[in-house]
Amino acid sequence: MERPYIICHMLTSLDGKIIGDFLDAERTQHFIEQYEKIHDGYECKAWMCGRVTLEEHFTFGHKIDLTTENISTIPRTDYVDNKDAKTYVVAVDPSGKLGWTKNYISQGRENSSGDHIVEVLTEQVSDAYLAHLQKLGISYIFGGTESLNFTVVVEKLKNLFSIERLIIEGGGVLNGSFLNKGLIDELSLVFVPIADGASNSMTLFETGNYLKRPQPVNFFLKGVQKLDDGGLWLRYVTK
Ligand SMILES: NC(=O)c1ccc[n+]([C@@H]2O[C@H](COP(=O)([O-])OP(=O)(O)OC[C@H]3O[C@@H](n4cnc5c(N)ncnc54)[C@H](OP(=O)(O)O)[C@@H]3O)[C@@H](O)[C@H]2O)c1
């Protein structure tokens, strides 16, 4: 299979939580900065997140009004608006809920034209949402008829956008989907030296409703680096 090298990069508490009050602690800010620095150091052409994460951090729950558009049927074929972007953000949004208003995410970097958005959809998405994406110049690919096959998705990312290295950055449901498909080559964890302590908050890998029988996955240590103020950067590989 021709696919990108895939790194899962996450910030966690000592008890493996990826959300919770520990993220708001003053001390955590330093580790968030380290996390971003390490992200940049990987020099991946694309980063990917699940719909919930993108809604929380980038579209802020904005909803697009699609009811007024009188749209004819749009074929469920991949739509490449920009195959030569320098960088991409890949949004896993199976039914087309994300309220994008432009075709890139700019993370405040100077002289950056931003990361071109590629939506990952199922064929259940509405014609009106596809028309909206085309109007904005957002690329999209189909990962399945009713559910997503991430093996197909990552092959398309390589073939259509020449993405050789992909960094996936949560949340837990997206990470879990990749883990259980054997699609993680490297795990990069920035450990914040705080135990969150909440038993019901999300961990690094979750299964959502998509997976009934997750399998344990072996990792092999590639590197350990101490960070200031007691944090750790751990790197593991699966082969
Ligand atoms: N600590 C960190 O480093 C870090 C990093 C990233 C995110 N986070 C946090 O993680 C939280 C969100 O995590 P999450 O796990 O709830 O959400 P998520 O992984 O961001 O998004 C989950 C959604 O993505 C789509 N999706 C993911 N896997 C799928 C699959 N196999 N098949 C079909 N659709 C799939 C579904 O969208 P639909 O619901 O639309 O079907 C699903 O509900 C946020 O609070 C965020 O801040 C933390």
Side-chain angles (χ1 to χ4, degrees):
M1 178 190 31
E2 277 283 294
R3 68 161 175 84
Y5 183 77
I6 302 172
I7 300 140
C8 176
H9 177 53
M10 294 293 288
L11 181 87
T12 81
S13 65
L14 285 182
D15 46 352
K17 307 293 185 186
I18 63 164
I19 59 175
D21 291 347
F22 80 98
L23 287 171
D24 299 325
E26 207 181 319
R27 202 176 166 206
T28 303
Q29 191 51 42
H30 161 70
F31 297 102
I32 294 174
E33 284 158 20
Q34 294 300 310
Y35 173 84
E36 295 299 342
K37 235 189 206 167
I38 292 166
H39 166 114
D40 292 344
Y42 271 112
E43 294 188 340
C44 290
K45 189 170 180 181
W47 56 283
M48 173 189 276
C49 282
R51 192 265 306 163
V52 174
T53 300
L54 291 165
E55 204 155 58
E56 190 178 304
H57 296 283
F58 295 97
T59 64
F60 308 109
H62 179 66
K63 300 269 180 274
I64 304 292
D65 179 12
L66 301 168
T67 51
T68 52
E69 305 199 26
N70 193 7
I71 305 291
S72 50
T73 305
I74 296 178
R76 277 19 184 190
T77 50
D78 301 330
Y79 176 78
V80 178
D81 185 86
N82 187 351
K83 70 173 180 52
D84 299 314
K86 213 168 154 204
T87 49
Y88 294 92
V89 49
V90 184
V92 177
D93 182 22
S95 54
K97 293 179 185 157
L98 286 169
W100 301 117
T101 53
K102 53 187 195 248
N103 70 348
Y104 63 92
I105 285 180
S106 168
Q107 301 201 73
R109 293 187 297 267
E110 273 181 43
N111 300 324
S112 164
S113 53
D115 306 323
H116 178 77
I117 300 168
V118 178
E119 275 262 323
V120 174
L121 302 162
T122 69
E123 293 178 21
Q124 303 309 304
V125 64
S126 69
D127 293 310
Y129 191 73
L130 294 181
H132 173 72
L133 295 181
Q134 290 192 12
K135 196 162 82 186
L136 288 181
I138 292 177
S139 300
Y140 56 78
I141 58 176
F142 290 95
T145 310
E146 287 179 359
S147 59
L148 294 175
N149 179 340
F150 283 109
T151 306
V152 170
V153 168
V154 293
E155 281 176 355
K156 287 187 177 186
L157 291 176
K158 172 145 184 174
N159 293 334
L160 298 175
F161 302 96
S162 307
I163 292 168
E164 301 284 344
R165 284 164 70 80
L166 170 70
I167 190 159
I168 70 161
E169 303 192 275
V173 170
L174 180 75
N175 294 347
S177 307
F178 270 67
L179 181 77
N180 286 287
K181 272 280 181 185
L183 288 173
I184 294 181
D185 298 303
E186 182 168 334
L187 182 60
S188 163
L189 297 180
V190 174
F191 267 98
V192 180
I194 301 178
D196 190 61
S199 56
N200 57 350
S201 70
M202 184 171 287
T203 65
L204 191 53
F205 297 114
E206 298 284 341
T207 56
N209 296 322
Y210 309 105
L211 245 168
K212 299 297 168 221
R213 294 187 52 196
Q215 301 289 323
V217 176
N218 278 291
F219 284 91
F220 305 95
L221 191 63
K222 184 174 179 187
V224 183
Q225 192 175 310
K226 283 186 184 178
L227 303 175
D228 285 350
D229 194 24
L232 276 183
W233 176 32
L234 299 185
R235 297 172 81 186
Y236 286 93
V237 288
T238 44
K239 285 193 191 86

